[in-house]
Structures are given as C-alpha cells and as structure tokens.
C-alpha cells in the first residue's frame, strides 16, 4: 500500500515505520556489546549487515557451507531496530531482544540525533555506511519503483530527484543523515566508524579488518594466515549473495521482494539514469548542503565532473 512521510524530530519518518521508531526510542535498552549498523536507505546496508554479522560471529560460524547467511537473509539475521518494535506487545519484544546471543547486531536508518539515549550512553558501537548520493538515489529510484511501496512511487525520475534534493524522502534529508553520523564519528571515533560504500568496494579486505579492530575483535595472525578475512569477503560478496535461493525468493514483511535488494552493486551506474540537468541539480544540492561543512575535509565527497 501507499505510505506517507511524517516530519518527526527533524527527519522524514515513513508512516509504516512510525510506531516502531517511537517504541524503539522508548523501550530499547542497548548492551555494551551491541553493534548498530546505521545507514541511509540504499547505501549498502544489506552488505554491511552481512559483513558485520559474519565478522562478530566468526567463532560461532565459520565461513563454510553451513553459514547462516547462506540460509537466512541478512535483514533476518540483523533486524532493523524499528522493525523489531513494530506492533503493540512490548514485553514480547523485550524478551525476544534479551534472548539474542551476544554480540547482538541491529540495523537502523534512523538519524543519529533520534537514536535512543541508551545507545548513546552505553558503550555499544555504531558502524555507518555512506554512499555517493548519485548512486544511492538511482538505487532507491529503481528499488521503490519495483516495490511500489515507497515514497518515490508514481513520480517521474525528475520529480523524485526534486524531492530527494529537498530532503523529502524516507529518513531524509540525506545530508543531515550523513552529517549527523559524520560529526559523531569525528567527536567520538571509538563509538562511530564512518564507512563509504565506494571504499568498501575498492578494498573490502582492508575494511573487514578495520571493522573487526573497531569492534575490538581484531583478526589473529592465525586467522590472517588461514584466509579468514578473504572468506568473509567472499561470503558477503554481491555475486555470492545475489544468487542464493534465500535472497532470490520471498518477501519481507512490508511486501518488499528480497530479490530487489541485489540489483547491480556497482559504482557509477547513475550515469545511465541522469540527464545533464539532473546531474547539475544534484551536484548543486550536494555543494550547497555538504560543500561548506567539515564533511568535505576528509574528502568523503564524491566529486562529479559534469
Ligand atoms: P544498487 O541498486 O546500486 O545495485 P541497501 O542494502 O542499503 O538497501 O543498499 C542496496 C544497494 O546495495 C544496491 O545497490 C545493492 O545492489 C547493493 N548491494 C547489496 N548487497 C551488496 C553486496 N554484497 N556488495 C555490494 N553491493 C551490494
């Protein structure tokens, strides 16, 4: 069905997520060992969830034929916090949460300022994945076009871009989303690790190692020489994930078909969708919203030549 966006605590919350977000804020108690995978939608959430789950659970599950990622989707193994809290029976949710094996790994698209205090006050860690807005926009455009449940539904691509640039998209504005986590990663580098989809694509092994160090579970020399990093990277690779039966069939709760989580997994596919006018529009928005902020200093910014 169609959904609306509510402007709530300075972000646009999809109506379908609203109850879950409120319940999460009021009831979630973070544990120090928790890991939160945070992202703006269509930025590589599914991938980072899979990597994180396999990194922190590598003693429980070796990357063999029995790994849970081969039989369960990473959104099932790493549930979204607001999704867990969707619905009324809070006690039931809390007991489910307290029974998850530690370290628990969760996903969220909620902006940093709206995370629960318990997340901010505990020693839990946050991994943030950021993606070039050009590719993230095309990814959501194609995704919500297929699922017919998103905020971009029934718009032309130009109209959708207009809204995207204005920030009126689920969990947007995208700029505030990035900046919120970015600032936090600078202020408290042991708490928030800011990752970029493009860098992960370039050198996944490096970032698998980096994430493990950040989560205080670095790879031992023995693991290094046994190729554990490489096997985690392979297990979570786009090519491997896309063809798994568990990712090809079935739907998630909100009727989103699992197979649409794996489209191309490339950098720069936006050129196949953007007219020169659209390119100028998004470039301008990026410069205006991020260009003069500290986000530029450590060049996260995705320079585009028109
Ligand atoms: P494309 O639509 O450009 O292909 P999210 O998981 O946040 O919804 O992001 C979805 C995007 O991540 C999609 O981008 C999807 O193909 C890509 N993706 C999913 N799994 C991936 C993986 N294992 N490696 C690289 N990219 C992946």
């Amino acid at each position: 069905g169609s959904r609306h966006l509510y402007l709530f605590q300075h972000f646009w919350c999809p109506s379908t997520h609203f109850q879950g977000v409120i319940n999460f804020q009021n009831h979630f108690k973070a544990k120090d060992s928790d890991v939160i995978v945070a992202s703006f939608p269509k930025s590589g959430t599914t991938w980072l969830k899979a990597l994180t789950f396999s990194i922190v659970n590598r003693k429980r599950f070796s990357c063999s034929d029995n790994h849970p990622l081969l039989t369960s989707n990473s959104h099932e193994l790493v549930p979204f916090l607001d999704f867990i809290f969707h619905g009324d029976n809070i006690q039931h949710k809390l007991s489910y949460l307290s029974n998850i094996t530690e370290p628990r790994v969760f996903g969220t698209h909620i902006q940093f300022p709206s995370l629960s205090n318990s997340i901010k006050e505990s020693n839990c860690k946050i991994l943030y994945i950021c993606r070039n807005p050009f590719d993230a926009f095309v990814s959501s455009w194609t995704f919500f076009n297929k699922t017919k449940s998103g905020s971009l539904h029934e718009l032309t691509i130009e109209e959708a871009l207009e809204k995207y640039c204005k920030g009126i998209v689920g969990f947007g504005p995208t700029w505030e989303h990035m900046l919120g986590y970015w600032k936090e990663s600078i202020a408290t580098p042991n708490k928030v690790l800011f990752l970029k989809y493009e860098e992960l694509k370039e050198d996944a092994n490096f970032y698998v190692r980096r994430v493990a160090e950040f989560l205080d579970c670095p790879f031992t020399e023995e693991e290094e020489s046994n190729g554990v990093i490489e096997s985690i990277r392979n297990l979570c690779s786009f090519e491997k994930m896309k063809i798994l039966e568990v990712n090809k069939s079935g739907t998630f709760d909100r009727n989103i078909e699992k197979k649409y989580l794996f489209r191309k997994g490339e950098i720069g596919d936006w050129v196949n969708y953007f007219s020169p006018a659209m390119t100028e529009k998004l470039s301008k928005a990026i410069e205006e919203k991020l260009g003069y902020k500290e986000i530029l200093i450590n060049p996260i910014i995705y320079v585009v030549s028109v």
Side-chain angles (χ1 to χ4, degrees):
S2 72
R3 60 177 192 175
H4 309 281
L5 296 174
Y6 299 138
L7 185 57
F8 169 72
Q9 298 176 351
H10 306 288
F11 77 95
W12 290 98
C13 185
S15 54
T16 44
H17 294 248
F18 195 59
Q19 182 191 31
V21 169
I22 303 264
N23 284 342
F24 150 72
Q25 288 184 337
N26 291 333
H27 299 286
F28 179 69
K29 291 276 170 293
K31 297 184 181 183
D32 288 340
S33 60
D34 286 348
V35 183
I36 315 286
V37 174
S39 64
F40 195 69
K42 312 318 292 172
S43 301
T45 324
T46 314
W47 188 20
L48 186 58
K49 279 180 167 186
L51 288 169
T52 308
F53 182 87
S54 32
I55 291 168
V56 301
N57 286 304
R58 66 189 190 270
K59 301 238 157 60
R60 273 168 81 203
F61 309 118
S62 69
C63 293
S64 66
D65 291 347
N66 298 323
H67 198 282
L69 273 168
L70 301 174
T71 47
S72 304
N73 185 282
S74 66
H75 289 344
E76 287 149 0
L77 298 173
V78 181
F80 281 107
L81 281 165
D82 71 86
F83 183 72
I84 295 172
F85 280 100
H86 185 74
D88 291 321
N89 192 338
I90 302 289
Q91 280 318 313
H92 180 262
K93 298 167 198 317
L94 293 178
S95 81
Y96 158 77
L97 280 166
S98 64
N99 285 325
I100 299 178
T101 310
E102 294 179 35
R104 307 181 299 180
V105 188
F106 301 109
T108 191
H109 291 317
I110 297 171
Q111 297 211 8
F112 183 82
S114 293
L115 292 182
S116 73
N117 287 335
S118 129
I119 290 183
K120 295 174 187 168
E121 287 156 11
S122 81
N123 287 325
C124 75
K125 304 258 190 179
I126 300 173
L127 300 168
Y128 184 78
I129 184 158
C130 183
R131 190 179 188 189
N132 177 339
F134 283 82
D135 283 331
F137 169 76
V138 165
S139 185
S140 53
W141 163 252
T142 50
F143 181 76
F144 288 118
N145 236 10
K146 284 180 188 129
T147 64
K148 305 258 182 232
S149 64
S151 51
L152 304 182
H153 177 43
E154 283 171 356
L155 302 176
T156 65
I157 192 167
E158 285 85 4
E159 290 165 341
L161 184 66
E162 176 80 28
K163 283 200 163 184
Y164 192 85
C165 289
K166 284 187 178 150
I168 310 173
V169 286
F171 301 99
T174 188
W175 333 108
E176 270 72 20
H177 204 284
M178 293 175 183
L179 282 169
Y181 285 97
W182 170 254
K183 284 178 187 151
E184 223 37 53
S185 76
I186 301 295
T188 53
N190 292 330
K191 176 86 179 173
V192 181
L193 180 65
F194 195 95
L195 300 162
K196 299 173 211 161
Y197 182 89
E198 292 73 18
E199 292 180 345
L200 245 73
K201 284 284 290 184
E202 193 135 296
D203 192 351
N205 287 3
F206 176 87
Y207 288 98
V208 168
R209 206 175 274 123
R210 180 81 189 84
V211 166
E213 278 161 13
F214 175 75
L215 298 178
D216 298 325
C217 58
F219 291 93
T220 61
E221 266 173 40
E222 195 189 340
E223 286 178 312
E224 290 265 0
S225 55
N226 288 341
V228 176
I229 295 175
E230 184 67 15
S231 34
I232 288 176
R233 185 186 69 83
N234 278 330
L235 175 73
C236 303
S237 71
F238 181 83
E239 295 71 24
K240 176 110 185 174
M241 288 282 140
K242 187 185 168 81
I243 58 169
L244 291 176
E245 201 48 46
V246 66
N247 289 329
K248 280 199 306 202
S249 54
T251 58
F252 294 113
D253 251 49
R254 294 186 189 105
N255 234 355
I256 294 174
E257 289 197 59
K258 291 178 182 174
K259 63 178 177 192
Y260 293 134
L261 286 170
F262 304 87
R263 190 183 65 96
K264 276 197 170 175
E266 283 173 5
I267 300 171
D269 185 46
W270 64 271
V271 295
N272 298 314
Y273 291 82
F274 272 64
S275 66
M278 288 170 65
T279 306
E280 195 185 325
K281 186 173 189 70
L282 184 52
S283 301
K284 267 195 182 142
I286 290 175
E287 194 176 319
E288 192 180 302
K289 304 291 183 182
L290 301 177
Y292 304 103
K293 304 255 165 59
E294 58 268 50
I295 204 161
L296 265 176
I297 294 170
N298 176 349
I300 169 227
I301 253 319
Y302 302 112
V303 178
V304 176
S305 46
V306 186

